[in-house]
Amino acid sequence: MSDPISRVGKLQTLRPASRETGWSREATVAVVVTLLVLLVRFWYGWHVSFCGTPDSCAYLALGESLSHHHGFLQNFLYQYQFVSLHVPTNGMEYWRPGVSLLLLLTQPFGGVTLHSSLIVTALAGVVTALAAWRIASNFTDNRGVACASFLLCLVLPPFWSGSISPDSSLYYGAFAAWFLALFSVRFRGYRSDIAALFCIAGLNFIRNDAILLLVPMAVVLWLRRRSGEPRGTSMPYVVLLVAGFFAATLPLDILNYAVTGKLFPGGASQVLYLTNLSELTSYGNPAPDIHSMLAFGISGLVKLRVVTLPLILYRALFLYIGFAIVFLAGLALRRGTRTTEELPLPEFAGGLSFALTLLGVYGLVLPAIGGFSALRSFTGLLPLAAVLIVVGIYRATDSSTMARGLVSAVILFYLTTGTMEDRREQGGLNQTGDQDRLVATYLSAHGGIAGRSLIMTNDAAQFSQTTGYAAVPVPNNGLLAIQKAIQDFRPPYVLLNTEGMPGSETVVQSILQPAGMARIPGTTVLVLTMASSRP
């Protein structure tokens, strides 16, 4: 009597039928659903009028500057620690230019704008999700599993929120996910390995943690050699791949040197010493170093890491993936056969080692920025997560029909909630943009000139990109620091948020001594008109 066959095993026994009849049907479903999702995202993107987070606004600003042949210039300062303190500033001193360069794909169609950038960003999400199809195809020929993995990945929460602002998450996800999909334990050809190295080059242009993919590369190469693969395992080839990895990081270094005169950004190492993001907008204080970090106290440093690590894990699992994470439990079901016979776990070793590396680096080494930076990097793992969830569902159900029905219900749920969430986020983004434009209208009516007048405000990147005014951030280390920054930059206007002012209006007036103060109706903005200002 034969052993029971697992759900995944059953799918794999139907390979001929899958190839003959499944491809056309699954491809049609994938195309139709993708077009529907893109239509919804394009619709919401077309009605967005605000660039989003400081990072998103910075990428858009840099893209527009390149589009207009103004070079890598930005008309604002985001922070005071790791850059030259002048406006306009060189955007490559702090930001990676990869997203902005990719936005130039819209140059033949009218140039880089907010709306065109959202189209490119939404398409980057599709490219990221397609990696799930490739990952699933690496261990099964069943097109249903591959298609379901792709569609589930496409509708996960980060793909919705990431499509209504030109953030780096989906771009990073595309390069990281395809690296993990192409560079597998089972050698799939020299072209796949070379393509994976190109993914490293692209990833290095997006964010500064591309070096972390050296860990999954090492794990995959070790498992290849251990498995006895006849190709792709010789020591000369391994050395060549590692050399190729580092060579793939050189294009950005060359560009960085050509633009800034430095091979590496100024704050690449100092970010290790941050204990709080607020240090970035501290004015007049030395840049963070080992002494300032140790001054935070050993107990404080330990507490920061104890809090950050589980926070990253919670956000990655329950906010980025959501309720479908529970179906991963299905992976543990044996169904009468050995798990390793049903699921080639070594094929997922690269992705799992990358996840552990991200947790270790952002939770223990860089906890000050880990709470948000780690999530952007985890986007590259979402295709793998989608594959594992779909496989978990197939293994937890009693029939392929039931599995397809449950997967379809999960995808429909994420499609519905994602659409509703984008609608809510669109309203919030536009409200913020409308307030910035209302403030800009007030400034223009009182002598401000967009493009020339310098504004000091809490949200320098967003305000500048939305209104066209040059901007620097309000220092967060007290009124005396604000006073010093005003003396140095001489902004004609300072914008303070009345809900988080560094003191009462009376104290603010006595220390900063503005020529005038006014609240803008309908906002929480207090405008200080400075007596000594730039002409």
Side-chain angles (χ1 to χ4, degrees), residues 184-187 217-235 238 340 345-347 349:
S184 58
V185 173
R186 180 183 176 186
F187 183 70
M217 171 179 266
V219 170
V220 168
L221 288 174
W222 178 73
L223 289 173
R224 271 189 192 177
R225 290 178 61 84
R226 190 182 178 193
S227 67
E229 277 276 353
R231 296 188 303 160
T233 58
S234 67
M235 185 53 66
V238 169
T340 53
L345 293 180
E347 285 297 328

Side-chain angles (χ1 to χ4, degrees), residues 97-230:
V99 173
S100 304
L101 292 173
L102 288 172
L103 296 183
L104 291 177
L105 292 172
T106 63
Q107 189 72 1
F109 309 101
V112 179
T113 65
L114 173 60
H115 293 144
S116 69
S117 72
L118 297 182
I119 292 176
V120 177
T121 303
L123 293 176
V126 176
V127 174
T128 304
L130 281 171
W133 192 303
R134 170 66 184 234
I135 293 171
S137 299
N138 283 345
F139 71 90
T140 177
D141 287 334
N142 186 276
R143 301 295 184 180
V145 172
C147 178
S149 301
F150 161 69
L151 292 178
L152 175 59
C153 184
L154 185 65
V155 295
L156 288 175
F159 289 79
W160 292 100
S161 58
S163 296
I164 56 174
S165 67
D167 189 67
S168 62
S169 298
L170 296 181
Y171 298 93
Y172 182 98
F175 287 111
W178 272 101
F179 172 84
L180 297 173
L182 291 167
F183 197 74
S184 58
V185 173
R186 180 183 176 186
F187 183 70
R188 302 183 186 280
Y190 297 108
R191 286 184 295 181
S192 292
D193 284 1
I194 292 172
L197 293 180
F198 276 98
C199 290
I200 295 296
L203 190 65
N204 197 44
F205 271 85
I206 304 296
R207 299 198 51 220
N208 58 6
D209 63 358
I211 191 67
L212 300 183
L213 282 171
L214 193 60
V215 174
M217 171 179 266
V219 170
V220 168
L221 288 174
W222 178 73
L223 289 173
R224 271 189 192 177
R225 290 178 61 84
R226 190 182 178 193
S227 67
E229 277 276 353

Side-chain angles (χ1 to χ4, degrees), residues 72 90 92 251-263:
F72 293 90
N90 190 318
M92 282 190 62
L252 177 65
D253 296 334
I254 295 171
L255 177 62
N256 199 61
Y257 185 78
V259 175
T260 68
K262 298 178 290 186
L263 284 176

